[in-house]
Amino acid sequence: MTIPSLARGDIELAAEVLAPLVRETPAWAWRDELTERLLAPGTQPILKLELFQHAGSFKARGALNVMLGLDESALARGVTAVSAGNHAIAVAWAARTLGRTAKVVMPKVADPFRVSRCSRARRGGGPGG
Amino acid sequence: MMSTQAFALAAQIEREEGRALVHPFEGPRTALGTATLGRELLRQVPDLEAVLVPVGGGGLAAGVASAVKLYRPDCLVIGVEPEANDVMFRSLKSGQPERVPEGGYRTIADSLSPPYTLPYSLELCRRNLDDLVLVSDDAMREALAVMFRGARLAVEPAAASAAAALLGPLRERLAGKKVGLIVCGTNIAPERYVEHLSRGTCAARAAAHRVKSLLVSGIAFTGALLGSLSGGSASALTMPAWLAMGVPFPTAVATDKLAASLWTLLGARNYLRRREVDWRLLAGMVALGLVGAWFGAAVTVRLDPALLKRVVGAAILLLIGVMLLRPHLGAVPRAPRASRWVVGAAALPLGFYEGMLGSGNSLVSSLLFCWGRGYDLIAALGHYYVLAFAWCALAAASYIGHGYYDVALMVPATIGRVPVGTWAPASEVNAAPPSCVVSSWSWAASSGSNCFWGSDSNDRASSLRGPVRRRRPPAGWAVPACGAVARRLLCRLLPNAAHHEAEISVTFPGVPAGAPLEVWMSRASPGRYAVHEFAKNVYNLRAEDSRGHSLSAVPFTPYAWRIAGPGGTVKLRYTLFGDRGDGTYAQIDRTHAHLNAPAVFLWARGLDARPVRVTFAGLPAGWRVATQLKPTSDPATFTAPNLQLFMDSPIIVGPIDLRTWLVTNGARTDTMRLAINHQGTSAEVDRYVEMIKKIVPEQAGVFGELASYDWGTYTFLADYLPWASGDGMEHRNSTSLTSTRPLATGLMRNFGTVAHEFFHSWNIERIRPRSPRAVRLHAGQHVGRALAGRGLHQLLRGAHSAARRASPPTRNSRRTWAGR
């Protein structure tokens, strides 16, 4: 089975669908004394600050896009995910945003901060997961 | 971090509850989601030349790379993966999904740590990533710290990976490019973040000073040497070198202009001392050439660097060609062939070229002067140096004004040229036959310049400090001496313990008015017979009065300061660096502090008789302080009746394991204590205490009784940590014991030091030659005392014989004796 590449039209469509739900994160030209000293001269780093995305990482985009692709009945049954952190937080956030439930599996060694963010996303609204 | 069991559990939930599994990275819809991120970035910054994207399972990279290659196929997309989990790297190499061995890989970038790769993401990565680089955990920590310090962003390690790649493996490859870095997330516990940050900060500081100074100086030196010997130009070597190092073209020219202006200034000075120049000619040429140089610099700043590099290449090749031909001009003065006006008019193009590049200008100008005005070669070069100084200085200023400068490059490049001149006597200029004149002039040009740049621009403390330079006295400014006042001392060990710094404040109340207060760092330490300049580790010294107004603190020797002020209360604050845990110096880190008082505390001259009070502030839970100083009701505060006893009192701080036992000392009962920072077990300490308990009565037997300890207490202060330094130092009521060996494996050798040092509680501490009792803190130890002390030292054999007597003779029985 050959794997098709992503099509421009599909990306445009996804961007359109996600636009009202995710944040457009800033792209920021990073220049300071430290970068000038440490980077090769003339290099212009641009930071795409996706850390400001909902749920604190880029995972919100993928998780939301997957859930928006589920049909209504599947969505009503809720979703599950396995992740050490960012993905779990993003799925919990996306479920809440869509008014659905999520049950996520996190390993015991996961960063406790992330576990607490997950449960906060759950409590923040929508039916519990 | 994620285990396959976790995936299995999710699959079970999916099966039993009918919940749809949202995969963390695999699948077209996930990739489309992340592709919107790539699209968004390109819309925000359309002229990106490269994008660095963190890679874990590859979901982010698959989407971002696909989008970038769709919208901007010419933009590079490079994946960045943690070295400690390179599963995508291996997958791309093998062409099929790979797994991480169960429990196998751990990286601090837990977001980039999938248990395996999967076909869809792998295939998109394979098609769309131009390259994949690996970064270490340390590099991510460092980048994380750089992002915090530079951009004030608190990100998780995974999100720092792209920056780590740009600071590390991709630094040269992406030099001068506009590079997008995906800063992918910030979900991390604050404590974990702080841990990474503090470890990263150390590394980042070191990196900030990974200055190529030595290399740059070397290149400049070699360039100057070859240029002088060949009669050509130093920049024929240095320009290509700077460009190869990734320096932008205008900055490279600016560097050479600055160095050349110094060089030519020295040359001109030497020439003008002996011979005249034609000022009428030069005045016009300088002015005309300045205009040219201004335009030359302006052109270089604006022209396409690629084109300029070709011009430089051609110019340098031409120059080498001319040098090989070695034109013999200007052997003797001749009649002028052209008027001043004609020759002077050439200043415009010469100045222009000097400002633009200037490589080979000395040769061209010399030819012009020799041919047109009939000068001999020395005169021609003398005239050229006057011109070139003015032109180069203006060109350098112009580049710097445009923002093209790099201090880390310019300073060593300028300095690097100097030593060439210091070898060649200026008299050679006159003696040399004309055919060698070009080279001897270059020698002469820089002779006499060696006194210009004597200071060490990169001493150890500044390299530790990192880019945020703190005020620090030059090396050698800080050691101490004699007699002091310390009345109240406050020692904060922790705020910057990771960098081996302690913040210390000293309050001297009731300072007599009239003369300035002299404060000193010691140069001697009790029991050490060498001069130690402890002031070298003191910096950031500030003084203030009781109302917080700052007072001037002027160093009048390398190790003492005069504090101006009207008397009353004087408060000093300073930072102490210490990373040597032994009997002489100090070590401060996150695990403990080992402080030898003279290496740590300032004192004031004339106030030695006053009592001293010291408090250790802000100690974490579980830490305590052990010392021979007199305890108070506050466990972190201690006192000493005077400076001498205070300085004789080493201090250890940390999660100390403390053991106490009583010994009968004549009619008295004394307390013996072992305070130890170590990594071993409590049982090991118990066994060690049993051994020490046996040595104490043995040594009492040698002298007939135990010494009389102040406050009835004797303390063994031990730091047995791998990062300490092995040593032992006796004091009046305690001994400082440091070793890198743990008790588990170094029991007997550590114990030998205990026996030796404890023996000193009589010998040296109480039985001593008739030299002054007081340690001359400001001036090193009394030599007579030192020599006699050495003789007495022989008695220490007694200590070892005591150890032998305390232990049975055979190896096996010694084990039994040691409790093993």
Side-chain angles (χ1 to χ4, degrees):
Chain A
M1 186 187 75
T2 52
I3 291 171
S5 286
L6 298 187
R8 191 186 280 238
D10 292 340
I11 298 176
E12 301 285 341
L13 185 64
E16 202 176 305
V17 172
L18 292 180
L21 298 170
V22 302
R23 293 183 183 136
E24 177 172 337
T25 55
W28 183 67
W30 181 22
R31 277 200 81 165
D32 59 48
E33 192 194 311
L34 209 52
T35 54
E36 283 184 15
R37 184 193 294 257
L38 295 175
L39 292 177
T43 309
Q44 304 172 59
I46 309 286
L47 299 183
K48 176 63 174 162
L49 299 173
E50 189 65 7
L51 73 159
F52 296 142
Q53 189 49 266
H54 287 295
S57 81
F58 73 95
K59 291 281 189 186
R61 294 179 192 255
L64 201 56
N65 199 44
V66 169
M67 287 168 65
L68 289 172
L70 297 175
D71 61 44
E72 183 48 39
S73 62
L75 205 52
R77 288 195 297 274
V79 293
T80 182
V82 53
S83 154
N86 282 330
H87 181 59
I89 301 169
V91 168
W93 169 82
R96 198 186 82 192
T97 303
L98 299 177
R100 306 297 169 172
T101 68
K103 190 179 226 176
V104 298
V105 180
M106 300 183 83
K108 278 186 182 153
V109 293
D111 186 327
F113 173 79
R114 294 174 167 184
V115 177
S116 79
R117 273 204 74 160
C118 259
S119 34
R120 247 182 294 134
R122 183 193 68 190
R123 280 198 301 274
Chain B
M1 300 279 281
M2 281 183 291
S3 63
T4 40
Q5 290 97 318
F7 277 88
L9 182 55
Q12 188 189 337
I13 294 172
E14 185 183 12
R15 225 170 26 246
E16 293 174 1
E17 302 183 22
R19 290 176 180 274
L21 178 74
V22 184
H23 197 277
F25 60 82
E26 182 76 347
R29 290 203 69 90
T30 305
L32 281 172
T34 56
T36 65
L37 172 58
R39 174 180 171 274
E40 191 174 293
L41 174 60
L42 287 177
R43 287 164 73 95
Q44 290 165 320
V45 191
D47 56 343
L48 272 185
E49 293 165 278
V51 174
L52 304 186
V53 53
V55 177
L60 176 65
V64 169
S66 296
V68 171
K69 287 299 172 190
L70 270 175
Y71 291 92
R72 281 281 314 281
D74 57 320
C75 179
L76 282 173
V77 189
I78 301 176
V80 184
E81 192 176 30
E83 203 172 79
N85 185 346
D86 60 348
V87 63
M88 177 61 79
F89 182 81
R90 289 187 295 116
S91 305
L92 287 171
K93 214 166 148 189
S94 70
Q96 61 187 31
E98 296 286 341
R99 301 185 71 85
V100 173
E102 192 67 36
Y105 300 149
R106 291 183 79 85
T107 163
I108 59 164
D110 47 3
S111 304
L112 305 181
S113 200
Y116 42 66
T117 53
L118 290 169
Y120 182 79
S121 310
L122 173 61
E123 178 58 21
L124 289 198
C125 285
R126 191 193 62 74
R127 279 182 213 163
N128 296 301
L129 283 180
D130 291 293
D131 202 352
L132 182 75
V133 297
L134 300 176
V135 291
S136 68
D137 281 3
D138 280 341
M140 282 187 280
R141 282 193 192 98
E142 183 182 328
L144 176 142
V146 169
M147 292 180 78
F148 178 74
R149 297 176 66 208
R152 294 284 144 194
L153 288 172
V155 302
E156 54 176 277
S161 61
L166 191 60
L167 289 163
L170 297 174
R171 186 178 179 276
E172 308 307 327
R173 185 167 157 197
L174 299 180
K177 287 196 162 45
K178 199 168 206 176
V179 187
L181 313 178
I182 309 287
V183 185
C184 56
T186 185
N187 289 324
I188 181 167
E191 313 81 64
R192 231 176 250 195
Y193 177 75
V194 167
E195 191 193 320
H196 295 322
L197 180 66
S198 62
R199 281 181 67 181
T201 302
C202 287
R205 287 183 172 196
H209 280 268
R210 214 180 290 138
V211 189
K212 314 148 277 184
S213 306
L214 212 58
L215 177 66
V216 168
S217 302
I219 292 170
F221 172 82
T222 313
L225 190 63
L226 292 180
S228 300
L229 293 176
S230 65
S233 163
S235 61
L237 177 73
T238 55
M239 272 303 285
W242 306 154
L243 295 176
M245 282 164 65
V247 177
F249 192 92
T251 308
V253 180
T255 303
D256 273 1
K257 290 295 112 179
L258 192 70
S261 65
L262 173 76
W263 177 268
T264 51
L265 175 66
L266 297 166
R269 170 176 154 273
N270 270 354
Y271 178 81
L272 291 171
R273 277 180 172 177
R274 276 182 291 275
R275 290 172 70 166
E276 297 289 312
V277 291
D278 181 353
W279 283 114
R280 274 179 67 197
L281 174 64
L282 285 189
M285 288 187 79
V286 165
L288 202 54
L290 284 178
V291 176
W294 180 262
F295 280 108
V299 165
T300 294
V301 169
R302 285 177 182 78
L303 272 190
D304 176 15
L307 176 67
L308 279 168
K309 280 179 195 171
R310 256 175 262 144
V311 173
V312 176
I316 289 174
L317 285 178
L318 191 67
L319 184 64
I320 293 171
V322 173
M323 274 159 18
L324 291 176
L325 291 174
R326 290 193 166 253
H328 278 246
L329 268 178
V332 289
R334 308 152 77 114
R337 285 184 219 177
S339 74
R340 283 198 180 90
W341 290 104
V342 172
V343 172
L348 191 64
L350 281 176
F352 179 82
Y353 182 65
E354 190 72 66
M356 198 182 141
L357 175 64
S359 201
N361 232 7
S362 65
L363 199 58
V364 177
S365 306
S366 306
L367 293 174
L368 176 76
F369 284 123
C370 293
W371 173 82
R373 300 298 299 159
Y375 295 167
D376 63 34
L377 196 47
I378 291 176
L381 278 164
H383 283 71
Y384 168 70
Y385 281 127
V386 175
L387 294 176
F389 162 66
W391 298 347
C392 288
L394 179 87
S398 169
Y399 285 112
I400 292 170
H402 278 99
Y404 289 103
Y405 60 89
D406 179 352
V407 176
L409 178 71
M410 284 172 153
V411 171
T414 306
I415 294 172
R417 286 200 181 186
V418 170
V420 177
T422 65
W423 298 340
S427 58
E428 227 182 81
V429 173
N430 297 329
S435 59
C436 341
V437 142
V438 171
S439 55
S440 22
W441 250 102
S442 294
W443 292 106
S446 46
S447 70
S449 61
N450 48 329
C451 54
F452 275 58
W453 305 92
S455 68
D456 176 6
S457 64
N458 200 14
D459 65 334
R460 175 165 166 270
S462 64
S463 70
L464 287 161
R465 284 292 70 66
V468 184
R469 285 283 169 88
R470 301 203 192 154
R471 193 167 60 85
R472 178 192 186 273
W477 244 359
V479 181
C482 67
V485 175
R487 174 69 180 273
R488 234 178 303 141
L489 294 152
L490 189 66
C491 185
R492 290 185 177 277
L493 296 169
L494 278 180
N496 215 7
H499 305 131
H500 311 296
E501 286 179 345
E503 290 299 329
I504 297 167
S505 75
V506 191
T507 307
F508 303 105
V511 174
L517 181 68
E518 273 185 32
V519 297
W520 293 71
M521 269 305 275
S522 301
R523 309 183 68 202
S525 180
R528 292 284 182 233
Y529 304 118
V531 172
H532 296 279
E533 303 290 25
F534 295 122
K536 68 189 171 188
N537 291 324
V538 167
Y539 41 89
N540 212 10
L541 178 85
R542 297 93 75 202
E544 60 188 47
D545 65 16
S546 57
R547 283 162 300 167
H549 297 151
S550 70
L551 302 170
S552 83
V554 181
F556 64 95
T557 73
Y559 24 78
W561 297 260
R562 280 204 181 96
I563 315 294
T569 296
V570 174
K571 194 169 181 184
L572 296 168
R573 299 164 192 279
Y574 59 95
T575 305
L576 177 86
F577 173 84
D579 192 21
R580 187 176 171 85
D582 68 5
T584 309
Y585 292 97
Q587 185 169 47
I588 302 128
D589 61 37
R590 285 177 297 179
T591 63
H592 83 305
H594 183 100
L595 309 172
N596 182 38
V600 175
F601 298 108
L602 276 166
W603 46 270
R605 193 160 195 165
L607 305 180
D608 353 14
R610 290 191 183 183
V612 181
R613 176 186 211 56
V614 59
T615 301
F616 295 87
L619 298 179
W623 279 39
R624 51 186 161 181
V625 182
T627 169
Q628 68 173 14
L629 291 165
K630 189 176 182 187
T632 66
S633 56
D634 173 9
T637 300
F638 300 85
T639 62
N642 56 48
L643 183 74
Q644 281 291 331
L645 187 58
F646 179 71
M647 286 300 187
D648 192 35
S649 303
I651 300 158
I652 69 171
V653 186
I656 290 171
D657 216 343
L658 186 68
R659 298 287 193 279
T660 304
W661 68 99
L662 299 176
V663 292
T664 308
N665 188 10
R668 299 185 330 188
T669 302
D670 283 344
T671 305
M672 307 295 292
R673 302 193 300 173
L674 169 68
I676 180 168
N677 282 317
H678 69 124
Q679 296 184 303
T681 65
S682 188
E684 285 164 10
V685 177
D686 290 334
R687 189 161 65 227
Y688 202 46
V689 167
E690 290 311 311
M691 293 167 67
I692 297 174
K693 279 183 184 173
K694 290 176 193 168
I695 199 78
V696 171
E698 281 299 332
Q699 295 206 355
V702 172
F703 293 100
E705 62 175 312
L706 286 176
S708 168
Y709 306 122
D710 305 325
W711 308 297
T713 303
Y714 188 92
T715 311
F716 297 94
L717 301 165
D719 276 321
Y720 292 165
L721 297 167
W723 43 90
S725 304
D727 199 5
M729 187 68 237
E730 78 280 359
H731 294 273
R732 188 168 164 77
N733 307 307
S734 62
T735 187
S736 158
L737 304 159
T738 53
S739 173
T740 54
R741 289 183 294 268
L743 288 174
T745 56
L747 192 74
M748 285 314 291
R749 291 186 63 186
N750 288 347
F751 182 64
T753 316
V754 171
H756 175 114
E757 302 300 342
F758 183 61
F759 197 77
H760 277 305
S761 65
W762 271 112
N763 162 22
I764 301 293
E765 288 300 327
R766 289 170 178 83
I767 303 173
R768 56 196 314 129
R770 290 183 54 174
S771 58
R773 165 72 187 91
V775 176
R776 299 163 74 234
L777 291 167
H778 64 297
Q781 294 280 53
H782 197 279
V783 172
R785 183 191 165 201
L787 294 176
R790 292 316 302 176
L792 253 181
H793 223 86
Q794 299 303 316
L795 272 177
L796 282 176
R797 290 175 181 176
H800 300 293
S801 71
R804 276 198 298 279
R805 258 184 286 153
S807 60
T810 68
R811 179 173 276 273
N812 286 340
S813 55
R814 181 190 288 194
R815 275 213 190 102
T816 317
W817 177 80
R820 283 192 287 193

